Amino acid sequence: WMREHAPAYWDSVNELWAITRYDDIVEIEKRKEIFISSDKEKGGYRPNIPADDAIIGLDDPLHSKRRNLVSRRFTPRAAAAWADDIRAKVTGLIDAVEAKGGRTEIVDDLAAPLPAMMIGKLLGFPEDAWPDLKRYSEETIQLGGGPRYMDQKGVEAAIEFAALSVALYEERKTCPMDDVMTVWTTAEIDGRPLTVEEVASDCLLVLDGGAETTRT
């Protein structure tokens, strides 16, 4: 209906435009000098919320520079290096389903734990942290829907995860490992190190993006 009657549809509740035609979307993606993600007044990439410090709230060229720091960790080649570990985790999850008689709720038992396990590992969190990481992603992802989705539980989860991220950041500065957090501790953008606030924002973005795109 929108493509036929209102291809550029104004959503007055969330104060955003919904673009439904492919060619229009391509044009918007190309016109980066006009269509931005970094607006600090009402919202760049989220309805009625100012853009934050995460990669998704930036415009090029800074967006691409920050994105490139972590994107190479998520290429097919990089994922292939983790194949044995991924297979072991999947096998363990399926074995747990079999132990319960072979019946399962597919999201809770398989689709949600796996990305929390792997994203946590890639970021640098301990292996046993994944239940908390799963919970953080579930409770914070809703905050991006705009002010009416802000609730105490989500805000507390975001604060709690930020504190864990900062602690891991400080640990990796003195004890580097083969993980994304170590990349952030050593990276510079245009000669400037990343701030701890930027790292915490990107850490939550990667957690939520990885968990939600995999399971949802």
Side-chain angles (χ1 to χ4, degrees):
W1 183 92
M2 290 168 70
R3 284 178 181 157
E4 182 176 352
H5 299 284
Y9 177 82
W10 173 245
D11 174 359
S12 59
V13 173
N14 293 298
E15 295 191 68
L16 53 82
W17 291 96
I19 308 300
T20 57
R21 290 178 176 171
Y22 177 85
D23 289 342
D24 293 337
I25 293 171
V26 171
E27 181 69 12
I28 287 170
E29 285 292 311
K30 290 179 179 178
R31 301 290 295 276
K32 297 180 180 181
E33 74 283 2
I34 297 176
F35 300 99
I36 65 171
S37 299
S38 60
D39 189 87
K40 296 294 186 182
E41 291 188 16
K42 300 202 71 175
Y45 69 97
R46 301 177 298 180
N48 290 316
I49 303 176
D52 56 25
D53 291 326
I55 298 169
I56 200 172
L58 304 175
D59 301 312
D60 281 334
L62 182 56
H63 170 86
S64 292
K65 291 177 181 178
R66 283 263 293 277
R67 184 178 185 276
N68 289 340
L69 292 177
V70 297
S71 62
R72 67 195 65 179
R73 294 275 174 160
F74 299 93
T75 62
R77 177 179 293 182
W82 297 99
D84 290 342
D85 193 40
I86 295 170
R87 185 174 292 108
K89 286 178 168 55
V90 172
T91 300
L93 291 169
I94 293 174
D95 286 347
V97 169
E98 285 191 328
K100 294 193 299 184
R103 294 183 62 83
T104 184
E105 204 296 310
I106 194 72
V107 173
D108 285 345
D109 291 341
L110 296 177
L114 180 61
M117 291 174 178
M118 289 310 303
I119 293 296
K121 185 180 183 72
L122 288 165
L123 286 171
F125 289 100
E127 291 273 1
D128 60 0
W130 75 263
D132 285 333
L133 299 180
K134 173 178 172 290
R135 176 173 61 84
Y136 294 142
S137 70
E138 292 169 347
E139 294 177 356
T140 60
I141 192 69
Q142 301 178 62
L143 303 180
R148 61 194 174 133
Y149 293 100
M150 290 285 180
D151 62 13
Q152 188 67 22
K153 184 167 70 171
V155 171
E156 288 176 356
I159 293 172
E160 196 174 323
F161 179 72
L164 288 178
S165 300
V166 170
L168 182 61
Y169 174 82
E170 295 298 334
E171 179 182 329
R172 287 294 181 265
K173 285 200 297 186
T174 57
C175 183
M177 303 284 284
D178 182 21
D179 53 39
V180 172
M181 187 60 78
T182 298
V183 172
W184 282 325
T185 64
T186 57
E188 291 187 353
I189 301 292
D190 297 329
R192 179 185 66 82
L194 296 180
T195 67
V196 69
E197 291 80 13
E198 290 170 335
V199 170
S201 295
D202 282 354
C203 200
L204 181 59
L205 177 67
V206 172
L207 176 71
D208 281 356
E212 289 303 310
T213 56
T214 302
R215 113 180 147 173
T216 310

